[in-house]
Amino acid sequence: MAIKGVLFDFSGTLFRIESSESWLRAVLTKSGVALPEPDLVRAAQQLESAGALAGGAFPTGPLPDDLAALWAVRDRTAEAHRAAYTGLSRQVRLPDPGLHDALYDRHMTPAAWQPYPDTAEVLGALRERGVAVGVVSNIGWDLRPVFRDHGVDPYVDAYVLSYEYGIQKPDTRLFALACEALGVGPRDALMVGDDRRADGGAADLGCAVYFVEHRLVTERPDGLRPVLDLLG
């Protein structure tokens, strides 16, 4: 059966977040806080290990007891998302306590994200072929400005974001909402993502699923192009 709609994950699929060091450096510069270079690099590494950068690496060790339950439902509301990530950030000592909220705010800006090299090409090709495109993301904030700023919003027909519905992947209800928004049945849809557990939940609804690798932008120049070959 020909695919009539393609659902894409956001982070690690269409876009990639900046490095932890770039993230911290940008916030320090904007805040006017000076930190010796060795201390900056060390703090960035600690933030990465803590999993404090949403869209970056997951925590490398056990979560603090007060954050473990929140982490499991972090994408259901904007409040839970901010609390979870700023809570992880606060495990790392920084010169000013206000930097933890500033770091969270930074990760929501278009400047913190970069599209993969073939994102615009693939989304544009789908639009030319008349294939509906949706973005289905576990997230705690509105990512639409990121798409607009990088010029790919015109290719997206619908955004289905977990925090707007109180449902997070792999719950099939989120994928069902996305299919409904695109006006296609699950068996006429393809889900493209990087997380086999979260994005793989679309298969339980009857969608076809294709996985890409969550890698640096420079390391994955054409990971999305095979999607065009799967349309049938």
Side-chain angles (χ1 to χ4, degrees):
M1 182 176 295
I3 297 296
K4 299 177 182 177
V6 181
L7 311 176
F8 288 95
D9 174 51
F10 167 54
S11 175
T13 301
L14 293 176
F15 282 80
R16 169 80 186 213
I17 191 68
E18 65 187 332
S19 70
S20 295
E21 186 174 319
S22 171
W23 175 52
L24 177 58
R25 193 179 299 277
V27 168
L28 291 173
T29 299
K30 183 177 181 180
S31 303
V33 177
L35 197 61
E37 187 67 15
D39 293 343
L40 187 154
V41 173
R42 186 180 307 110
Q45 292 172 342
Q46 292 172 343
L47 287 166
E48 183 165 345
S49 295
L53 176 55
F58 283 173
T60 58
L63 292 172
D65 292 341
D66 61 333
L67 288 178
L70 184 61
W71 177 259
V73 297
R74 65 192 182 280
D75 296 312
R76 292 186 185 175
T77 68
E79 295 76 15
H81 197 268
R82 177 180 282 272
Y85 282 103
T86 56
L88 291 173
S89 176
R90 290 188 176 94
Q91 306 305 304
V92 178
R93 184 182 297 275
L94 296 175
D96 181 346
L99 291 171
H100 299 291
D101 278 309
L103 283 168
Y104 185 84
D105 292 340
R106 163 71 185 184
H107 106 275
M108 295 188 290
T109 64
W113 295 88
Q114 185 175 359
Y116 282 94
D118 56 348
T119 290
E121 172 192 336
V122 170
L123 295 183
L126 292 173
R127 172 53 56 91
E128 290 178 0
R129 297 186 188 190
V131 177
V133 171
V135 173
V136 188
S137 178
N138 278 353
I139 200 165
W141 49 275
D142 186 4
L143 52 71
R144 294 172 182 87
V146 175
F147 282 74
R148 289 196 294 268
D149 192 80
H150 289 280
V152 292
D153 175 69
Y155 303 132
V156 180
D157 299 291
Y159 296 90
V160 177
L161 311 180
S162 61
Y163 84 101
E164 293 182 337
Y165 295 94
I167 305 168
Q168 61 188 43
K169 298 180 290 187
D171 193 318
T172 57
R173 290 177 294 170
L174 203 64
F175 302 109
L177 286 166
C179 288
E180 182 180 352
L182 295 184
V184 302
R187 297 195 179 280
D188 296 322
L190 170 68
M191 176 67 206
V192 181
D194 68 297
D195 188 322
R196 292 184 177 274
R197 177 182 177 275
D199 300 315
D204 294 330
L205 187 66
C207 301
V209 180
Y210 178 77
F211 295 107
V212 295
E213 294 185 32
H214 187 154
R215 304 180 69 178
L216 297 175
V217 167
T218 55
E219 296 175 350
R220 210 196 76 193
D222 55 4
L224 294 169
R225 288 191 184 119
V227 170
L228 301 176
D229 298 327
L230 299 175
L231 297 185

